[in-house]
Amino acid sequence: MLQRIDLCDRIALEPAPSLRVDGFAEDTLVGRALGRLAEEAGVEPLWRARLWKKVPVAAGLGGGSSDAATALRLANETLEEPLPREHLLALAAELGADVPFFLTDGPQLGEDDGGRLTPLELPQDYWVVLCIPHGEQKQSTATVYARFDERDGGAGYEARRRALLDGLAAVRRPRDLAELPANDLASAPLAAELCELGAFRADVTGAGPTVYGLFHHRAPARAARRAIRSCGRTWITAPAWYG
């Protein structure tokens, strides 16, 4: 399940003599996105992108993918003949499995490699506490899936998929999200601690390392954030519907 939150980067785009990305020296994805868009549109990549980073890097929160998707959308709007939506989505999928998600609105169910999306109607009225535990680093996707395969994680896939679909269909209120299956790629002891602090659901985002806790109200979310502040970098945020 893919859900936006309002912890986000900012990106601005303007015409330029050549392709340039400022504000984040480690960027490769935004530059690639703009270069590929120019190739597909048959134009020169004459844009300057400026990034203001707030989403932590390599945290399993999709910061780079959201930046690339935003750059694609903004640059496409500057073209005399913008690429059709389906063409833009296909181009986004080349850049990363979760990049197309950031060209859509609302929560989505991502299947296959994450790029096959189905819109979901899910509640958005809750608070999210995020924590990147000290000393934790994002592992490569290849490493995460290799370990998943080593423990025969694919066994019972159809049953787990059906349980997820049934759970999603039954969600009406935020607390119903607690009934969805747990993340089977990664886990963290901090999730249990967040539940003890009042979260109605807590788990790891994607392959990690970020841990999240969902709370009905802001006050207990803020209290939980204070309680785990010594565990790592923390944020309090909320769901966001639009890109």
Side-chain angles (χ1 to χ4, degrees):
M1 188 185 83
L2 302 171
Q3 168 68 60
R4 279 189 182 81
I5 54 176
D6 68 3
L7 174 67
C8 60
D9 299 334
R10 290 177 55 211
I11 182 168
L13 193 81
E14 62 184 2
S18 61
L19 179 58
R20 177 175 165 182
V21 180
D22 293 332
F24 182 51
E26 300 173 49
D27 172 72
T28 57
L29 204 51
V30 168
R32 280 178 55 206
L34 294 174
R36 284 292 293 119
L37 176 65
E39 289 177 12
E40 290 295 306
V43 301
E44 291 296 315
L46 305 180
W47 297 291
R48 175 180 180 256
R50 170 73 179 178
L51 288 174
W52 291 267
K53 292 291 293 181
K54 288 189 177 180
V55 179
V57 178
L61 293 172
S65 295
S66 65
D67 293 341
T70 301
L72 280 177
R73 178 172 54 80
L74 292 175
N76 193 50
E77 291 172 356
T78 71
L79 298 175
E80 289 187 13
E81 296 184 14
L83 298 187
R85 175 175 171 76
E86 291 306 315
H87 194 163
L88 201 64
L89 288 170
L91 181 57
E94 292 181 19
L95 300 166
D98 57 348
V99 178
F101 164 68
F102 290 101
L103 291 173
T104 65
D105 293 331
Q108 304 277 329
L109 176 65
E111 297 186 81
D112 297 335
D113 64 354
R116 182 160 67 90
L117 300 172
T118 304
L120 297 172
E121 291 290 338
L122 296 177
Q124 304 285 286
D125 52 333
Y126 54 88
W127 295 90
V128 185
V129 173
L130 302 174
C131 180
I132 303 178
H134 290 310
E136 294 289 338
Q137 294 184 339
K138 183 174 176 62
Q139 301 180 51
S140 71
T141 301
T143 298
V144 170
Y145 279 98
R147 290 180 177 174
F148 182 75
D149 291 339
E150 286 171 4
R151 64 176 186 269
D152 198 20
Y157 166 76
E158 286 301 330
R160 295 204 310 275
R161 178 177 182 273
R162 175 45 54 189
L164 174 61
L165 294 177
D166 289 346
L168 288 169
V171 172
R172 297 292 182 272
R173 296 162 294 185
R175 66 171 173 263
D176 296 334
L177 296 170
E179 303 303 317
L180 298 180
N183 186 345
D184 54 11
L185 281 180
S187 61
L190 184 57
E193 184 173 345
L194 282 167
C195 287
E196 292 175 1
L197 291 167
F200 60 84
R201 179 184 176 89
D203 211 331
V204 177
T205 62
T210 301
V211 180
Y212 70 86
L214 309 185
F215 293 79
H216 289 296
H217 304 291
R218 184 182 180 94
R222 293 178 67 182
R225 182 190 181 190
R226 288 193 297 271
I228 65 168
R229 197 183 296 272
S230 63
C231 297
R233 296 175 63 193
T234 63
W235 296 261
I236 184 168
T237 183
W241 187 269
Y242 300 104

